[in-house]
Amino acid sequence: MDFDLSPEQKEIQALTRDFVRAEIEPHATEWDREHHFPREVYAKLAELGLMGTCVPEEYGGAGADFLAYMLVLEELSRGDAGVGVTVAVHTSAVTLPLLLFGTDEQRSRFVPPLARGELIGAFALTEAEAGSDAAALRTSATREDGGWRISGAKQFISTAEYAGTFLLFARTDPDTPGAGGISAFILDADQVRVTGREEKLGLNSSTTNSIAVDSLVDADRLLHDEGKGFHVAMATLDGGRIGIAAQAVGITQAAYDVAREYAKERHAFGQPIAKFQAIQFKLADMATEIEAARLLVHRAAWLKQNDLPHTETGAKAKLFASEMARRQTGEAIQILGGYGYTKEFPVERYYRDAKITEIYEGTSEIQRLVIARSVLGLAERAVSAS
Ligand code: COS
């Protein structure tokens, strides 16, 4: 067992950290306040290879492993969680499934522009009445003129208004309710209409859109076999959830860094508040839980990059890291007291940003369900049938 990062992983981590310090951290407060999507950042990340960190070089990526990619997401999210989620969805939820499930032709056509950051990816699964119950989706795909007519509406789609490639899920068999009738499709931006943008609690430097589709797409836009879309979605989320856990770790690390420095400088009752055991215990708990969450992320990433089952460990990582992030960013505010509640310090932003990690890519309730099914040996069958 080796807990040390490899020289390449350390190099990518340092590269990302330096980039975040120079190009993201100084602007994150303003982007949050202005709800600014920092498009220029993605071009710069692309130059560094970080829009395709774990994509093989032959497909335009940096050719690093999945753990290196998790380090990138942690560092990006430490600077700005909105940038973190944009890169996470782009990579985990679009580029990687196209690589994994695409034909040779689809891989060489669609992956390089994503991995090189020329196009940004969006993952279109969720609908108004299909959130946790993703298999209830109603967007339809019917055969027409040798291709597919795709019609429907999706919501809570990260980055849709800036995306060039969509991985979109639709029901190809109306007679098969649930997971079996769903297929996955690759769409271009001009085949999708952006119909709205959410006002959110946080993650204001990322966009979350509703979209509508009524497009005829070629037959070669079907990803994987007809009826296998739900497998694509679930396998994609298995990996994506590890990335959200890494994001949660990054946000909490940022909150901890601010709280620790504040505690050393802020005086009360004649001494720095870091001398008080009440504050020391909070920082001790934060440091412990951040490390525990990070280890879960690294273990899940290691399983994934070694092609070992990672559904359960990934769900555990996401569950623990996201709940830890919500709790501990709240504690960071507590350490800063009244200042923590103001916009003068970034901890209130970390607190707002942390909350979403308990919700997207599967709520904590869904993670518990996935873990419970796995530990009870029920993973093969549906709870929806019970
Ligand atoms: N990998 C691959 N295939 C999987 C899978 C996984 N991790 N989990 C389930 N499947 C397959 C099952 O094997 C089953 O296939 P067969 O019918 O061929 O056997 C199919 O998918 C349906 O699985 P199941 O019956 O378990 O589906 P349920 O409707 O019960 O849903 C949950 C399972 C609840 C776990 C799923 O709907 C889920 O993850 N929901 C949350 C969705 C989500 O994260 N949304 C966020 C969107 S992105 S912000």
Side-chain angles (χ1 to χ4, degrees), residues 243-279:
I244 301 306
Q247 181 193 34
V249 172
I251 299 168
T252 321
Q253 180 70 50
Y256 167 74
D257 291 342
V258 173
R260 190 190 55 225
E261 291 316 302
Y262 182 90
K264 288 194 277 189
E265 279 164 26
R266 170 75 174 172
H267 282 65
F269 303 101
Q271 59 178 359
I273 61 169
K275 297 251 178 179
F276 292 106
Q277 206 173 53
I279 301 297

mmCIF file of all heavy atoms in Angstrom, residues 243-279:
data_model
loop_
_atom_site.group_PDB
_atom_site.id
_atom_site.type_symbol
_atom_site.label_atom_id
_atom_site.label_comp_id
_atom_site.label_asym_id
_atom_site.label_seq_id
_atom_site.Cartn_x
_atom_site.Cartn_y
_atom_site.Cartn_z
ATOM 1 N N GLY A 243 -15.724 12.624 -8.406
ATOM 2 C CA GLY A 243 -15.302 14.002 -8.703
ATOM 3 C C GLY A 243 -16.024 15.021 -7.835
ATOM 4 O O GLY A 243 -15.423 16.020 -7.411
ATOM 5 N N ILE A 244 -17.298 14.787 -7.569
ATOM 6 C CA ILE A 244 -18.040 15.716 -6.697
ATOM 7 C C ILE A 244 -17.505 15.621 -5.272
ATOM 8 O O ILE A 244 -17.412 16.629 -4.561
ATOM 9 C CB ILE A 244 -19.559 15.443 -6.759
ATOM 10 C CG1 ILE A 244 -20.084 15.591 -8.193
ATOM 11 C CG2 ILE A 244 -20.321 16.356 -5.792
ATOM 12 C CD1 ILE A 244 -19.761 16.915 -8.880
ATOM 13 N N ALA A 245 -17.124 14.419 -4.875
ATOM 14 C CA ALA A 245 -16.504 14.269 -3.546
ATOM 15 C C ALA A 245 -15.196 15.065 -3.494
ATOM 16 O O ALA A 245 -14.909 15.744 -2.507
ATOM 17 C CB ALA A 245 -16.255 12.788 -3.254
ATOM 18 N N ALA A 246 -14.409 14.995 -4.566
ATOM 19 C CA ALA A 246 -13.151 15.772 -4.614
ATOM 20 C C ALA A 246 -13.462 17.262 -4.562
ATOM 21 O O ALA A 246 -12.746 18.041 -3.908
ATOM 22 C CB ALA A 246 -12.382 15.439 -5.893
ATOM 23 N N GLN A 247 -14.525 17.666 -5.218
ATOM 24 C CA GLN A 247 -14.935 19.070 -5.179
ATOM 25 C C GLN A 247 -15.260 19.475 -3.736
ATOM 26 O O GLN A 247 -14.836 20.537 -3.252
ATOM 27 C CB GLN A 247 -16.169 19.280 -6.067
ATOM 28 C CG GLN A 247 -16.640 20.716 -6.083
ATOM 29 C CD GLN A 247 -18.026 20.874 -6.681
ATOM 30 O OE1 GLN A 247 -18.889 20.009 -6.525
ATOM 31 N NE2 GLN A 247 -18.238 21.971 -7.376
ATOM 32 N N ALA A 248 -16.005 18.625 -3.034
ATOM 33 C CA ALA A 248 -16.384 18.917 -1.646
ATOM 34 C C ALA A 248 -15.143 19.045 -0.762
ATOM 35 O O ALA A 248 -15.063 19.925 0.109
ATOM 36 C CB ALA A 248 -17.315 17.817 -1.123
ATOM 37 N N VAL A 249 -14.170 18.183 -0.991
ATOM 38 C CA VAL A 249 -12.915 18.261 -0.225
ATOM 39 C C VAL A 249 -12.221 19.597 -0.495
ATOM 40 O O VAL A 249 -11.755 20.277 0.431
ATOM 41 C CB VAL A 249 -11.974 17.078 -0.577
ATOM 42 C CG1 VAL A 249 -10.597 17.271 0.072
ATOM 43 C CG2 VAL A 249 -12.577 15.754 -0.133
ATOM 44 N N GLY A 250 -12.182 19.993 -1.767
ATOM 45 C CA GLY A 250 -11.525 21.257 -2.128
ATOM 46 C C GLY A 250 -12.191 22.459 -1.475
ATOM 47 O O GLY A 250 -11.513 23.343 -0.941
ATOM 48 N N ILE A 251 -13.515 22.492 -1.505
ATOM 49 C CA ILE A 251 -14.242 23.618 -0.888
ATOM 50 C C ILE A 251 -13.936 23.667 0.612
ATOM 51 O O ILE A 251 -13.673 24.729 1.186
ATOM 52 C CB ILE A 251 -15.775 23.468 -1.099
ATOM 53 C CG1 ILE A 251 -16.139 23.467 -2.591
ATOM 54 C CG2 ILE A 251 -16.534 24.579 -0.363
ATOM 55 C CD1 ILE A 251 -17.596 23.041 -2.871
ATOM 56 N N THR A 252 -13.955 22.504 1.255
ATOM 57 C CA THR A 252 -13.755 22.472 2.706
ATOM 58 C C THR A 252 -12.318 22.832 3.071
ATOM 59 O O THR A 252 -12.068 23.509 4.081
ATOM 60 C CB THR A 252 -14.099 21.079 3.278
ATOM 61 O OG1 THR A 252 -15.247 20.580 2.609
ATOM 62 C CG2 THR A 252 -14.390 21.168 4.769
ATOM 63 N N GLN A 253 -11.377 22.383 2.258
ATOM 64 C CA GLN A 253 -9.970 22.749 2.497
ATOM 65 C C GLN A 253 -9.820 24.269 2.474
ATOM 66 O O GLN A 253 -9.132 24.853 3.312
ATOM 67 C CB GLN A 253 -9.079 22.106 1.419
ATOM 68 C CG GLN A 253 -7.609 22.431 1.577
ATOM 69 C CD GLN A 253 -6.989 21.755 2.795
ATOM 70 O OE1 GLN A 253 -7.147 20.549 2.985
ATOM 71 N NE2 GLN A 253 -6.289 22.519 3.628
ATOM 72 N N ALA A 254 -10.489 24.898 1.509
ATOM 73 C CA ALA A 254 -10.407 26.361 1.405
ATOM 74 C C ALA A 254 -10.987 27.016 2.661
ATOM 75 O O ALA A 254 -10.402 27.970 3.210
ATOM 76 C CB ALA A 254 -11.159 26.833 0.163
ATOM 77 N N ALA A 255 -12.117 26.499 3.141
ATOM 78 C CA ALA A 255 -12.759 27.066 4.334
ATOM 79 C C ALA A 255 -11.872 26.869 5.564
ATOM 80 O O ALA A 255 -11.709 27.774 6.408
ATOM 81 C CB ALA A 255 -14.121 26.405 4.553
ATOM 82 N N TYR A 256 -11.273 25.698 5.648
ATOM 83 C CA TYR A 256 -10.380 25.377 6.771
ATOM 84 C C TYR A 256 -9.163 26.303 6.772
ATOM 85 O O TYR A 256 -8.760 26.813 7.822
ATOM 86 C CB TYR A 256 -9.967 23.912 6.637
ATOM 87 C CG TYR A 256 -8.815 23.486 7.503
ATOM 88 C CD1 TYR A 256 -8.972 23.295 8.872
ATOM 89 C CD2 TYR A 256 -7.569 23.230 6.935
ATOM 90 C CE1 TYR A 256 -7.910 22.884 9.657
ATOM 91 C CE2 TYR A 256 -6.506 22.819 7.713
ATOM 92 C CZ TYR A 256 -6.674 22.652 9.068
ATOM 93 O OH TYR A 256 -5.624 22.245 9.833
ATOM 94 N N ASP A 257 -8.596 26.521 5.589
ATOM 95 C CA ASP A 257 -7.411 27.390 5.486
ATOM 96 C C ASP A 257 -7.721 28.788 6.028
ATOM 97 O O ASP A 257 -6.938 29.365 6.785
ATOM 98 C CB ASP A 257 -6.956 27.515 4.020
ATOM 99 C CG ASP A 257 -6.384 26.210 3.474
ATOM 100 O OD1 ASP A 257 -6.030 25.326 4.279
ATOM 101 O OD2 ASP A 257 -6.314 26.086 2.234
ATOM 102 N N VAL A 258 -8.869 29.323 5.645
ATOM 103 C CA VAL A 258 -9.241 30.668 6.099
ATOM 104 C C VAL A 258 -9.485 30.655 7.612
ATOM 105 O O VAL A 258 -8.994 31.526 8.342
ATOM 106 C CB VAL A 258 -10.504 31.178 5.356
ATOM 107 C CG1 VAL A 258 -10.983 32.509 5.953
ATOM 108 C CG2 VAL A 258 -10.228 31.331 3.866
ATOM 109 N N ALA A 259 -10.213 29.640 8.089
ATOM 110 C CA ALA A 259 -10.573 29.589 9.513
ATOM 111 C C ALA A 259 -9.328 29.445 10.392
ATOM 112 O O ALA A 259 -9.221 30.080 11.457
ATOM 113 C CB ALA A 259 -11.540 28.432 9.759
ATOM 114 N N ARG A 260 -8.394 28.607 9.952
ATOM 115 C CA ARG A 260 -7.174 28.389 10.748
ATOM 116 C C ARG A 260 -6.357 29.685 10.858
ATOM 117 O O ARG A 260 -5.910 30.059 11.939
ATOM 118 C CB ARG A 260 -6.341 27.290 10.091
ATOM 119 C CG ARG A 260 -5.174 26.805 10.944
ATOM 120 C CD ARG A 260 -4.262 25.895 10.143
ATOM 121 N NE ARG A 260 -3.838 26.574 8.937
ATOM 122 C CZ ARG A 260 -3.822 26.009 7.722
ATOM 123 N NH1 ARG A 260 -4.204 24.779 7.555
ATOM 124 N NH2 ARG A 260 -3.430 26.709 6.673
ATOM 125 N N GLU A 261 -6.184 30.373 9.722
ATOM 126 C CA GLU A 261 -5.395 31.612 9.761
ATOM 127 C C GLU A 261 -6.104 32.672 10.592
ATOM 128 O O GLU A 261 -5.476 33.411 11.350
ATOM 129 C CB GLU A 261 -5.140 32.118 8.332
ATOM 130 C CG GLU A 261 -4.193 31.226 7.548
ATOM 131 C CD GLU A 261 -2.980 30.787 8.358
ATOM 132 O OE1 GLU A 261 -2.239 31.667 8.842
ATOM 133 O OE2 GLU A 261 -2.781 29.567 8.542
ATOM 134 N N TYR A 262 -7.422 32.743 10.452
ATOM 135 C CA TYR A 262 -8.201 33.718 11.216
ATOM 136 C C TYR A 262 -8.041 33.449 12.724
ATOM 137 O O TYR A 262 -7.851 34.380 13.523
ATOM 138 C CB TYR A 262 -9.675 33.631 10.807
ATOM 139 C CG TYR A 262 -10.555 34.636 11.500
ATOM 140 C CD1 TYR A 262 -10.772 35.901 10.959
ATOM 141 C CD2 TYR A 262 -11.173 34.323 12.716
ATOM 142 C CE1 TYR A 262 -11.578 36.836 11.603
ATOM 143 C CE2 TYR A 262 -11.973 35.249 13.363
ATOM 144 C CZ TYR A 262 -12.172 36.500 12.803
ATOM 145 O OH TYR A 262 -12.967 37.415 13.442
ATOM 146 N N ALA A 263 -8.110 32.173 13.079
ATOM 147 C CA ALA A 263 -8.038 31.813 14.508
ATOM 148 C C ALA A 263 -6.691 32.207 15.118
ATOM 149 O O ALA A 263 -6.603 32.517 16.314
ATOM 150 C CB ALA A 263 -8.270 30.312 14.676
ATOM 151 N N LYS A 264 -5.654 32.196 14.301
ATOM 152 C CA LYS A 264 -4.335 32.561 14.826
ATOM 153 C C LYS A 264 -4.198 34.075 14.999
ATOM 154 O O LYS A 264 -3.420 34.553 15.806
ATOM 155 C CB LYS A 264 -3.242 32.040 13.883
ATOM 156 C CG LYS A 264 -3.097 30.514 13.967
ATOM 157 C CD LYS A 264 -1.821 30.016 13.325
ATOM 158 C CE LYS A 264 -1.960 29.874 11.850
ATOM 159 N NZ LYS A 264 -0.844 29.216 11.174
ATOM 160 N N GLU A 265 -4.964 34.818 14.212
ATOM 161 C CA GLU A 265 -4.822 36.279 14.232
ATOM 162 C C GLU A 265 -5.862 37.001 15.079
ATOM 163 O O GLU A 265 -5.580 38.055 15.653
ATOM 164 C CB GLU A 265 -4.895 36.814 12.797
ATOM 165 C CG GLU A 265 -3.564 36.673 12.076
ATOM 166 C CD GLU A 265 -3.673 36.811 10.585
ATOM 167 O OE1 GLU A 265 -4.628 37.487 10.131
ATOM 168 O OE2 GLU A 265 -2.832 36.231 9.883
ATOM 169 N N ARG A 266 -7.041 36.453 15.142
ATOM 170 C CA ARG A 266 -8.132 37.116 15.861
ATOM 171 C C ARG A 266 -7.933 36.975 17.376
ATOM 172 O O ARG A 266 -7.764 35.864 17.869
ATOM 173 C CB ARG A 266 -9.464 36.472 15.440
ATOM 174 C CG ARG A 266 -10.648 36.871 16.265
ATOM 175 C CD ARG A 266 -11.112 38.273 15.943
ATOM 176 N NE ARG A 266 -12.338 38.594 16.639
ATOM 177 C CZ ARG A 266 -12.865 39.798 16.653
ATOM 178 N NH1 ARG A 266 -12.285 40.802 15.994
ATOM 179 N NH2 ARG A 266 -13.987 40.030 17.296
ATOM 180 N N HIS A 267 -7.956 38.098 18.058
ATOM 181 C CA HIS A 267 -7.804 38.064 19.512
ATOM 182 C C HIS A 267 -9.157 38.245 20.203
ATOM 183 O O HIS A 267 -9.988 39.038 19.765
ATOM 184 C CB HIS A 267 -6.854 39.173 19.992
ATOM 185 C CG HIS A 267 -5.415 38.833 19.768
ATOM 186 N ND1 HIS A 267 -4.877 38.676 18.517
ATOM 187 C CD2 HIS A 267 -4.398 38.607 20.664
ATOM 188 C CE1 HIS A 267 -3.588 38.359 18.624
ATOM 189 N NE2 HIS A 267 -3.269 38.322 19.912
ATOM 190 N N ALA A 268 -9.343 37.516 21.270
ATOM 191 C CA ALA A 268 -10.503 37.712 22.147
ATOM 192 C C ALA A 268 -10.075 37.333 23.559
ATOM 193 O O ALA A 268 -9.244 36.423 23.722
ATOM 194 C CB ALA A 268 -11.675 36.844 21.699
ATOM 195 N N PHE A 269 -10.574 38.007 24.516
ATOM 196 C CA PHE A 269 -10.228 37.753 25.918
ATOM 197 C C PHE A 269 -8.705 37.754 26.109
ATOM 198 O O PHE A 269 -8.142 36.935 26.834
ATOM 199 C CB PHE A 269 -10.820 36.420 26.398
ATOM 200 C CG PHE A 269 -12.321 36.346 26.225
ATOM 201 C CD1 PHE A 269 -12.878 35.646 25.155
ATOM 202 C CD2 PHE A 269 -13.166 36.992 27.120
ATOM 203 C CE1 PHE A 269 -14.248 35.585 24.992
ATOM 204 C CE2 PHE A 269 -14.540 36.926 26.962
ATOM 205 C CZ PHE A 269 -15.084 36.230 25.887
ATOM 206 N N GLY A 270 -8.029 38.634 25.354
ATOM 207 C CA GLY A 270 -6.603 38.832 25.571
ATOM 208 C C GLY A 270 -5.674 37.846 24.879
ATOM 209 O O GLY A 270 -4.471 37.849 25.144
ATOM 210 N N GLN A 271 -6.183 36.997 24.024
ATOM 211 C CA GLN A 271 -5.280 36.069 23.328
ATOM 212 C C GLN A 271 -5.885 35.632 21.992
ATOM 213 O O GLN A 271 -7.089 35.801 21.772
ATOM 214 C CB GLN A 271 -4.989 34.845 24.199
ATOM 215 C CG GLN A 271 -6.224 34.065 24.603
ATOM 216 C CD GLN A 271 -5.870 32.822 25.438
ATOM 217 O OE1 GLN A 271 -4.716 32.541 25.698
ATOM 218 N NE2 GLN A 271 -6.871 32.088 25.849
ATOM 219 N N PRO A 272 -5.043 35.073 21.101
ATOM 220 C CA PRO A 272 -5.612 34.595 19.830
ATOM 221 C C PRO A 272 -6.672 33.520 20.102
ATOM 222 O O PRO A 272 -6.471 32.689 21.006
ATOM 223 C CB PRO A 272 -4.398 33.975 19.106
ATOM 224 C CG PRO A 272 -3.200 34.534 19.780
ATOM 225 C CD PRO A 272 -3.603 34.829 21.204
ATOM 226 N N ILE A 273 -7.746 33.535 19.353
ATOM 227 C CA ILE A 273 -8.811 32.561 19.649
ATOM 228 C C ILE A 273 -8.337 31.125 19.403
ATOM 229 O O ILE A 273 -8.929 30.179 19.921
ATOM 230 C CB ILE A 273 -10.137 32.860 18.884
ATOM 231 C CG1 ILE A 273 -9.943 32.799 17.368
ATOM 232 C CG2 ILE A 273 -10.727 34.194 19.346
ATOM 233 C CD1 ILE A 273 -11.268 32.832 16.593
ATOM 234 N N ALA A 274 -7.241 30.958 18.632
ATOM 235 C CA ALA A 274 -6.675 29.613 18.430
ATOM 236 C C ALA A 274 -6.169 28.998 19.730
ATOM 237 O O ALA A 274 -5.923 27.793 19.799
ATOM 238 C CB ALA A 274 -5.543 29.666 17.410
ATOM 239 N N LYS A 275 -6.006 29.815 20.772
ATOM 240 C CA LYS A 275 -5.557 29.282 22.077
ATOM 241 C C LYS A 275 -6.707 28.663 22.863
ATOM 242 O O LYS A 275 -6.488 28.009 23.877
ATOM 243 C CB LYS A 275 -4.928 30.406 22.914
ATOM 244 C CG LYS A 275 -3.683 30.996 22.292
ATOM 245 C CD LYS A 275 -2.455 30.592 23.057
ATOM 246 C CE LYS A 275 -1.244 31.166 22.365
ATOM 247 N NZ LYS A 275 -0.002 30.893 22.978
ATOM 248 N N PHE A 276 -7.914 28.925 22.414
ATOM 249 C CA PHE A 276 -9.073 28.369 23.128
ATOM 250 C C PHE A 276 -9.377 26.963 22.623
ATOM 251 O O PHE A 276 -9.417 26.710 21.413
ATOM 252 C CB PHE A 276 -10.304 29.261 22.961
ATOM 253 C CG PHE A 276 -10.164 30.589 23.654
ATOM 254 C CD1 PHE A 276 -9.954 31.749 22.926
ATOM 255 C CD2 PHE A 276 -10.223 30.667 25.046
ATOM 256 C CE1 PHE A 276 -9.814 32.966 23.573
ATOM 257 C CE2 PHE A 276 -10.086 31.886 25.699
ATOM 258 C CZ PHE A 276 -9.874 33.042 24.955
ATOM 259 N N GLN A 277 -9.626 26.082 23.565
ATOM 260 C CA GLN A 277 -9.859 24.691 23.189
ATOM 261 C C GLN A 277 -11.100 24.543 22.299
ATOM 262 O O GLN A 277 -11.132 23.678 21.409
ATOM 263 C CB GLN A 277 -10.015 23.851 24.462
ATOM 264 C CG GLN A 277 -9.635 22.413 24.257
ATOM 265 C CD GLN A 277 -9.623 21.630 25.548
ATOM 266 O OE1 GLN A 277 -10.607 21.640 26.295
ATOM 267 N NE2 GLN A 277 -8.523 20.957 25.830
ATOM 268 N N ALA A 278 -12.084 25.392 22.504
ATOM 269 C CA ALA A 278 -13.302 25.301 21.685
ATOM 270 C C ALA A 278 -12.960 25.449 20.204
ATOM 271 O O ALA A 278 -13.495 24.750 19.348
ATOM 272 C CB ALA A 278 -14.308 26.376 22.104
ATOM 273 N N ILE A 279 -12.044 26.387 19.919
ATOM 274 C CA ILE A 279 -11.634 26.625 18.531
ATOM 275 C C ILE A 279 -10.681 25.524 18.066
ATOM 276 O O ILE A 279 -10.774 25.024 16.938
ATOM 277 C CB ILE A 279 -10.975 28.024 18.402
ATOM 278 C CG1 ILE A 279 -11.942 29.131 18.845
ATOM 279 C CG2 ILE A 279 -10.464 28.263 16.985
ATOM 280 C CD1 ILE A 279 -13.206 29.269 18.014
#
